[in-house]
């Protein structure tokens, strides 16, 4: 199968680098276009980027020219129709609509449009059905020449992703009445260069701007139901405390939960181990077991468990009764893989399966024949 060409906006940052790493040799997607700020435009990627990952920067990518942050192609080719975006919210607000209006599927990591009524906020194992919201977006209207237009799809905040993977099986089986979560978030979550070493070494910072609000509202939308008027938020009380800790990668979250119907320890463990909503779909980035439970008394730990499922699984541990609510446990997930770039790549794989990355008239006609 010919690989689809994709672009990366914000390609030089922490999440942009993860995109490069995860898309290198991806069976369905091939990086053909890179952009970042004006500081980087015109340089080769190798010159513009301070590569911070523990696998080598692919030579082909290092030699590519970083393009200006506008929706136009390169001297060698057209602008790809699939754009992975890793911009901060301020720039995403301005740039993502320009790419959607230019007919691209913008698969975004930013918070800028996550809570917009017609923008899906999606974790495929949790609420892939919300992707139909893209058909309500103004950019998506069929173009004059009969091709479908562009759209924006988002993935959640890095903490919300690991958390909802653990919560979805519980919500499905028992319902969630209230939830208390306290996070310990890695420094890579703040981008590069991020938090100054003098601030974080030997320290914990009990404040991450807007993070508690984002976590609370995004969990409500992700676990909400898609109704006629859009997403109806989860009817549960949520309270979040967010902290930055001196860990490189991997966000840990301590959760206390009250369920709507009683669940035993065995019921909770079965809900997690039987949770496999993407099984059989053969999506290259989907982990076989999205929620892994570890029985050890001192797990999960960021250094030891963040790469489970190639960085795409959430690890749950320390399940025990809670004196305030019903149960308490710990969740860990990789913040720049499952919590960012990997989440977006998986969203794009689901969009491909649904035919939502088919933009040429011929592709759409072909798909309609297959569906009929
Ligand atoms: P980052 O390391 O600060 O990278 C920011 C990127 O945006 C860089 O490539 C930068 O390019 C580019 N940029 C800055 N201004 C620009 C402009 N005017 N036009 C085009 N590109 C511009 O940030 P990050 O950690 O990768 O995060 C990116 C986004 O993902 C943020 O919205 C963040 O909230 C979200 N996110 C991050 C994580 C995480 O764990 N890090 C998890 C989930 C979501 P230059 O190199 O040229 O400056």
């Amino acid at each position: 199968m010919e690989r689809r060409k994709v672009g990366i906006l914000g390609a030089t940052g922490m999440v942009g680098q993860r995109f490069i790493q995860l898309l290198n040799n991806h069976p369905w997607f091939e990086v053909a276009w890179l952009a970042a700020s004006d500081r980087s435009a015109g340089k080769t990627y190798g010159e513009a980027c301070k590569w911070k990952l523990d696998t080598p920067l692919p030579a082909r990518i290092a030699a590519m020219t970083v393009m200006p942050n506008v929706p136009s192609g390169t001297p060698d080719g057209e602008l790809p129709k699939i754009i992975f975006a890793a911009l901060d919210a301020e720039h995403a607000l301005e740039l993502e609509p320009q790419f959607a209006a230019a007919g691209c599927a913008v698969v975004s990591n930013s918070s800028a449009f996550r809570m917009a009524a017609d923008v899906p906020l999606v974790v495929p194992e949790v609420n892939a059905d919300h992707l139909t919201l893209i058909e309500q977006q103004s950019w998506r209207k069929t173009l004059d020449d009969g091709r479908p237009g562009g759209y924006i799809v988002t993935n959640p905040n890095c903490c919300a992703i690991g958390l909802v993977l653990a919560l979805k099986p519980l919500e499905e089986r028992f319902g969630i009445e209230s939830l208390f979560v306290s996070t310990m978030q890695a420094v890579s979550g703040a981008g590069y260069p991020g938090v100054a070493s003098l601030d974080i070494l030997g320290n914990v910072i009990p404040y991450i701007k807007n993070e508690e609000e984002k976590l609370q509202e995004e969990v409500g939308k992700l676990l909400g139901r898609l109704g006629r008027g859009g997403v109806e938020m989860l009817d549960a009380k949520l309270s979040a405390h967010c902290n930055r800790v001196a860990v490189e990668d991997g966000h840990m979250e301590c959760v206390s939960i009250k369920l709507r119907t009683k669940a035993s320890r065995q019921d909770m463990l079965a809900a997690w181990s039987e949770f496999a909503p993407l099984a059989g779909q053969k999506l290259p980035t989907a982990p076989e077991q999205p929620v892994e439970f570890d029985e050890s008394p001192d797990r999960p730990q960021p250094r030891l468990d963040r790469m489970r499922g190639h960085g795409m699984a959430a690890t749950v541990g320390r399940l025990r009764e809670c004196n305030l609510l019903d149960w308490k446990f710990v969740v860990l997930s990789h913040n720049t893989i499952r919590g960012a770039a990997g989440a977006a790549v998986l969203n794009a794989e689901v969009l491909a399966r649904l035919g939502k990355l088919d933009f040429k008239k011929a592709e759409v006609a072909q798909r309609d024949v297959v569906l009929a």
Side-chain angles (χ1 to χ4, degrees):
M1 187 175 90
E2 199 187 330
R3 295 195 294 166
R4 293 167 195 267
K5 294 199 185 315
V6 302
I8 305 173
L9 250 181
T12 50
M14 292 311 298
V15 176
Q17 294 182 30
R18 281 289 177 200
F19 275 124
I20 304 277
Q21 186 188 50
L22 296 176
L23 292 169
N24 191 36
N25 299 323
H26 189 285
W28 298 1
F29 304 126
E30 179 190 358
V31 176
W33 185 93
L34 302 169
S37 75
D38 294 346
R39 293 179 291 278
S40 304
K43 296 179 183 167
T44 64
Y45 186 79
E47 289 165 345
C49 171
K50 289 195 175 111
W51 185 254
K52 293 287 162 193
L53 301 184
D54 57 6
T55 53
L57 169 59
R60 181 182 78 84
I61 301 289
M64 284 174 68
T65 302
V66 180
M67 302 303 293
N69 59 11
V70 291
S72 58
T74 67
D76 303 327
E78 288 178 2
L79 177 71
K81 287 288 181 201
I82 305 157
I83 298 291
F84 290 107
L87 299 166
D88 60 67
E90 183 194 340
H91 294 112
L93 200 59
E94 179 196 338
L95 296 177
E96 289 181 357
Q98 293 179 21
F99 283 77
C104 299
V106 178
V107 186
S108 166
N109 269 280
S110 158
S111 61
F113 294 98
R114 286 181 193 150
M115 297 308 292
D118 59 359
V119 173
L121 173 66
V122 170
V123 174
E125 293 93 333
V126 172
N127 63 335
D129 58 317
H130 292 196
L131 285 170
T132 57
L133 283 174
I134 62 175
E135 303 304 341
Q136 297 178 19
Q137 295 178 16
S138 56
W139 309 292
R140 182 66 174 157
K141 282 192 304 241
T142 304
L143 305 176
D144 292 344
D145 61 5
R147 290 177 296 124
Y151 56 84
I152 298 176
V153 165
T154 60
N155 56 251
N157 170 285
C158 36
C159 284
I161 297 185
L163 183 60
V164 293
L165 282 172
L167 294 181
K168 176 68 178 182
L170 306 181
E171 165 60 14
E172 264 175 0
R173 293 197 182 187
F174 320 115
I176 296 171
E177 192 173 312
S178 53
L179 182 96
F180 170 87
V181 55
S182 184
T183 71
M184 285 153 273
Q185 300 184 214
V187 286
S188 61
Y192 185 81
V195 191
S197 56
L198 268 183
D199 287 334
I200 196 69
L201 284 177
N203 204 12
V204 172
I205 300 172
Y207 175 66
I208 304 174
K209 194 175 173 197
N210 298 332
E211 196 81 348
E212 294 174 352
E213 295 79 0
K214 276 191 226 168
L215 183 55
Q216 289 164 183
E217 64 183 13
E218 290 178 19
V219 169
K221 184 170 178 181
L222 288 156
L223 295 179
R225 256 177 239 286
L226 188 62
R228 284 175 158 236
V231 177
E232 296 156 12
M233 302 286 276
L234 178 75
D235 179 19
K237 279 190 185 160
L238 306 178
S239 176
H241 292 235
C242 293
N243 306 287
R244 185 76 69 199
V245 297
V247 164
E248 187 190 355
D249 285 315
H251 288 353
M252 195 143 101
E253 306 177 58
C254 293
V255 180
S256 284
I257 191 166
K258 185 164 179 53
L259 301 169
R260 292 198 181 274
T261 58
K262 281 242 168 297
S264 68
R265 179 182 172 83
Q266 283 318 311
D267 294 335
M268 301 277 285
L269 297 182
W272 284 321
S273 71
E274 290 162 18
F275 182 61
L278 301 179
Q281 293 196 30
K282 297 201 169 79
L283 303 172
T285 305
E288 234 167 77
Q289 179 83 48
V291 183
E292 294 190 17
F293 185 79
D294 193 312
E295 292 280 357
S296 318
D298 59 352
R299 303 284 279 271
Q301 295 179 18
R303 199 165 353 126
L304 303 180
D305 297 306
R306 63 190 169 209
M307 286 311 293
R308 289 192 189 217
H310 302 287
M312 290 296 287
T315 309
V316 178
R318 304 218 59 223
L319 177 65
R320 60 231 192 267
E321 285 183 16
C322 174
N323 289 341
L324 291 177
L325 305 178
D326 292 336
W327 288 101
K328 54 186 175 180
F329 54 85
V330 180
V331 188
L332 177 94
S333 58
H334 198 300
N335 54 296
T336 58
I337 303 181
R338 181 76 231 205
V345 173
L346 187 54
N347 276 349
E349 291 170 2
V350 175
L351 289 165
R353 274 269 183 266
L354 294 172
K356 303 289 184 193
L357 299 182
D358 299 336
F359 287 101
K360 290 183 191 148
K361 247 195 302 192
E363 284 174 340
V364 175
Q366 178 67 31
R367 191 190 75 216
D368 291 344
V369 169
V370 173
L371 292 178

